[in-house]
Amino acid sequence: MIYLCKIYWFQVLETRKWTSLQNDVDVEAILANPLINSSMEDMRIWGEASNKRFSVKYGYRVVMERLADMSNSRILFIIWHIKVPHLVRVFLWRLCRDWLPLPMRLRDKGADCPFICSRCNEGLENSWRLFFTRQSSEFCWKEVGLWHHISRTIDCFKNFREACFHLFESLESHCRSLFAMILWSLWR
């Protein structure tokens, strides 16, 4: 049984904001739309596992495999085998998937935040600026002796993710660890 209330809340997809309907005519028109009728009964199907049983662990693995770009599998392998704390590897994984909560990404998700860099109040705050071109970042890279690698890379690439992938592939093992820890430190 459906109970009608005076105020109906719904999310407008274009604006990603919640609003309400107070007009009973609109509510009745929406509720009058039929749902898809199916003559088949619902049944559980999980075709991914050989035993046809679902587990959260297995479902997560399937989803992550489908999300992972096959061309990035070498980079992901490198990231998970860098000799740094596990927390830093998770950070690198999120960084390479562009899942860090930077203003550009937060705005895409509907958050109201400024684009200007919160640390130096100049320029757009994005991965490229935060990790490569901000004055304090450049100083860190020079101090640890990686700036010559990074400056050559940022001259060749215009995309942060590709530049980062190139550096992970081209740096030696000990330099990868240093690169990873500096990225983590700049983020913190």
Side-chain angles (χ1 to χ4, degrees):
M1 179 174 251
I2 297 175
Y3 294 98
L4 297 178
C5 300
K6 287 293 177 194
I7 299 175
Y8 297 88
W9 288 92
F10 65 96
Q11 188 176 20
V12 178
L13 296 177
E14 292 81 25
T15 61
R16 295 184 183 180
K17 302 219 186 267
W18 287 92
T19 188
S20 66
L21 278 178
Q22 296 179 350
N23 182 345
D24 287 339
V25 175
D26 290 338
V27 171
E28 291 295 331
I30 291 170
L31 292 176
N33 288 323
L35 297 177
I36 296 173
N37 290 328
S38 174
S39 59
M40 294 179 56
E41 285 188 33
D42 290 341
M43 66 177 117
R44 294 181 187 173
I45 298 175
W46 180 249
E48 301 295 335
S50 59
N51 64 1
K52 304 284 189 226
R53 294 188 157 235
F54 176 81
S55 72
V56 173
K57 181 180 177 181
Y58 194 79
Y60 179 79
R61 192 174 91 198
V62 169
V63 167
M64 296 316 294
E65 285 173 359
R66 288 183 182 172
L67 285 176
D69 185 5
M70 296 313 282
S71 64
N72 299 334
S73 60
R74 168 115 174 94
I75 298 302
L76 295 176
F77 179 82
I78 290 170
I79 287 172
W80 290 115
H81 290 86
I82 294 175
K83 296 195 184 315
V84 294
H86 184 68
L87 184 64
V88 176
R89 285 191 294 250
V90 171
F91 160 75
L92 294 173
W93 178 73
R94 291 181 69 205
L95 176 68
C96 288
R97 301 189 68 61
D98 197 25
W99 287 353
L100 293 180
L102 291 166
M104 300 292 259
R105 181 151 167 77
L106 293 174
R107 279 191 163 246
D108 288 344
K109 299 293 180 187
D112 186 27
C113 56
F115 284 116
I116 302 298
C117 180
S118 60
R119 296 181 185 174
C120 64
N121 290 326
E122 54 184 54
L124 294 176
E125 188 169 8
N126 57 24
S127 300
W128 189 271
R129 177 170 171 68
L130 178 64
F131 296 112
F132 291 155
T133 60
R134 199 174 61 208
Q135 192 173 8
S136 58
S137 303
E138 189 175 324
F139 176 77
C140 286
W141 296 121
K142 286 178 180 175
E143 285 295 309
V144 298
L146 290 176
W147 179 244
H148 62 282
H149 293 293
I150 291 172
S151 64
R152 281 194 322 241
T153 302
I154 63 177
D155 288 340
C156 297
F157 295 93
K158 298 298 178 208
N159 177 309
F160 175 78
R161 188 174 168 172
E162 291 173 8
C164 209
F165 286 177
H166 174 75
L167 285 164
F168 278 121
E169 284 184 322
S170 63
L171 291 173
E172 296 176 18
S173 179
H174 69 282
C175 289
R176 276 187 203 140
S177 299
L178 181 60
F179 179 62
M181 290 307 297
I182 297 296
L183 285 172
W184 169 250
S185 298
L186 289 170
W187 173 251
R188 302 274 310 155

